[in-house]
């Protein structure tokens, strides 16, 4: 249990848990390496359809490990190229659910925002307090937060280090749902298992299409979506899904 990253598979759901309680799950270089390796292993595993990324009930993650950066020079930070690892999280094709309880700060908030759904406990606190330690968000916070909650609320968080409570984050559109503290992981896993009953290839393409909405103008996004929609007619799961509906029986998807 003292491993910094715990990974297990339950049915068709992969669960990765951050486990550095003594530093509030600060995202050290080693923890990020282990996490990205685990996420990529889940992404490559044909038995995993959905991924859950969790912290503990007390804390999701209090940001990048400040000890890793405090004395670093620009050249060291540049050569370290740690954001390459974060880019690999962006490449994960399967749906990812963040299970957030307690603080999700700095890189912790950015990590949650790399996921596709966020289940928050009522104790969750989201923030980008980097300004208080002389820097600013670096793993997508200024961009993803602004897209999720809009410029004016994002500015207050980024410029003034304001935290959002779970309810505020829900109302602002940053969180999928808020549940009781002791339920946060069970609810994230329940949602993951529910989504995992869907056809896996359609899940991946649907995720890809939704994420394109942040990148493309509407007309190109619609065209992109249409192409992926047509692509699904090459899958056995499309035939099975529609046939099962017409035969009034549950579908048996195989990811083909
Ligand atoms: N890094 C390293 N250690 C940390 C971090 C952190 N981010 N957060 C907490 N710790 C350590 C504390 O130093 C303390 O250690 P010790 O017991 O040895 O003194 C222990 O965790 C417990 O923390 P506190 O005593 O401070 O606990 P409190 O409950 O009093 O406070 C807070 C909790 C408010 C969360 C407080 O710990 C805090 O403000 N933490 C820092 C939050 C922060 O500034 N996060 C942003 C970090 S910078 C960042 O994320 C940039 C991302 C850039 C991209 C990613 C590149 C990898």
């Amino acid at each position: 249990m003292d491993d910094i990253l715990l990974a297990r598979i339950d049915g068709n759901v992969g669960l990765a848990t951050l486990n550095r309680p003594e530093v509030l799950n600060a995202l050290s270089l080693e923890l990020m390496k282990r996490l990205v390796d685990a996420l990529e292993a889940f992404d490559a595993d044909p038995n995993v359809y959905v991924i859950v990324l969790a912290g503990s009930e007390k804390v999701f993650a209090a940001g990048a490990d400040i000890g890793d950066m405090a004395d670093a020079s620009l050249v060291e930070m540049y050569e370290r190229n740690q954001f390459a690892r974060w880019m690999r999280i962006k490449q994960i094709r399967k749906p990812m659910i963040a299970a957030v309880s307690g603080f999700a700060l700095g890189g912790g908030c950015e990590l949650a925002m790399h996921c596709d759904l966020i289940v928050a406990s009522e104790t969750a606190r989201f923030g980008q307090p980097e300004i208080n330690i002389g820097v600013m968000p670096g793993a997508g916070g200024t961009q993803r937060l602004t897209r999720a909650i809009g410029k004016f609320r994002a500015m207050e968080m980024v410029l003034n280090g304001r935290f959002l409570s779970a309810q505020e984050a829900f109302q602002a559109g940053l969180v999928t749902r808020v549940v009781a503290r002791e339920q946060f992981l069970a609810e994230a896993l329940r949602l993951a298992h529910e989504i995992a009953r869907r056809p896996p290839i359609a899940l991946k393409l649907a995720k890809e299409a939704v994420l394109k909405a942040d990148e493309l103008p509407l007309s190109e996004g619609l065209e992109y979506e249409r192409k992926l929609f047509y692509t699904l007619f090459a899958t056995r799961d499309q035939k099975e899904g529609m046939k099962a509906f017409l035969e009034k029986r549950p579908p048996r998807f195989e990811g083909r």
Side-chain angles (χ1 to χ4, degrees), residues 59-77:
V59 63
F60 180 70
D65 193 316
I66 298 170
D68 280 348
M69 299 180 288
D71 295 324
S73 67
L74 184 155
V75 172
E76 280 161 354
M77 288 298 284

Side-chain angles (χ1 to χ4, degrees), residues 12-222:
N12 296 117
V13 173
L15 171 63
T17 306
L18 309 170
N19 188 36
R20 296 185 76 210
E22 68 287 358
V23 284
L24 308 185
N25 288 337
L27 302 166
S28 62
L29 298 169
E30 179 60 18
L31 178 54
M32 286 305 296
K33 179 183 181 307
R34 294 282 311 280
L35 174 63
V36 175
D37 287 349
L39 295 178
E40 287 182 341
F42 287 151
D43 210 31
D45 185 333
N47 295 315
V48 173
Y49 296 174
V50 179
I51 299 166
V52 174
L53 169 51
S56 68
E57 197 174 295
K58 186 176 167 220
V59 63
F60 180 70
D65 193 316
I66 298 170
D68 280 348
M69 299 180 288
D71 295 324
S73 67
L74 184 155
V75 172
E76 280 161 354
M77 288 298 284
Y78 181 75
E79 291 298 331
R80 195 180 279 178
N81 195 19
Q82 60 193 332
F83 296 115
R85 208 163 265 148
W86 289 76
M87 297 296 286
R88 282 163 55 197
I89 305 180
K90 188 169 172 271
Q91 304 304 324
I92 300 291
R93 300 201 300 178
K94 295 172 183 170
M96 284 200 295
I97 302 177
V100 177
S101 186
F103 290 117
L105 303 180
C109 187
E110 291 167 312
L111 185 58
M113 289 192 289
H114 274 70
C115 296
D116 306 303
L117 302 104
I118 301 179
V119 172
S121 99
E122 56 203 359
T123 65
R125 294 285 175 278
F126 296 86
Q128 299 287 165
E130 291 93 334
I131 200 80
N132 296 327
I133 55 168
V135 286
M136 58 178 277
T142 62
Q143 304 303 300
R144 291 200 174 89
L145 196 58
T146 305
R147 280 168 168 78
I149 69 175
K151 169 184 160 185
F152 297 98
R153 280 182 282 201
M155 282 289 188
E156 194 186 11
M157 293 176 70
V158 171
L159 301 183
N160 206 25
R162 166 149 140 67
F163 294 171
L164 292 188
S165 68
Q167 276 305 336
E168 285 175 319
F170 176 72
Q171 276 154 17
L174 181 60
V175 154
T176 308
R177 72 184 50 152
V178 181
V179 297
R181 176 185 161 121
E182 58 281 4
Q183 284 297 311
F184 86 102
L185 185 56
E187 177 59 17
L189 289 169
R190 191 201 62 71
L191 182 60
H193 282 287
E194 199 175 302
I195 294 172
R197 291 207 297 272
R198 271 69 190 180
I201 298 174
L203 282 179
K204 287 191 270 194
L205 295 190
K207 164 174 170 162
E208 185 179 331
V210 172
L211 291 179
K212 283 288 178 203
D214 279 346
E215 314 264 355
L216 298 177
L218 181 61
S219 57
E220 285 176 36
L222 292 172

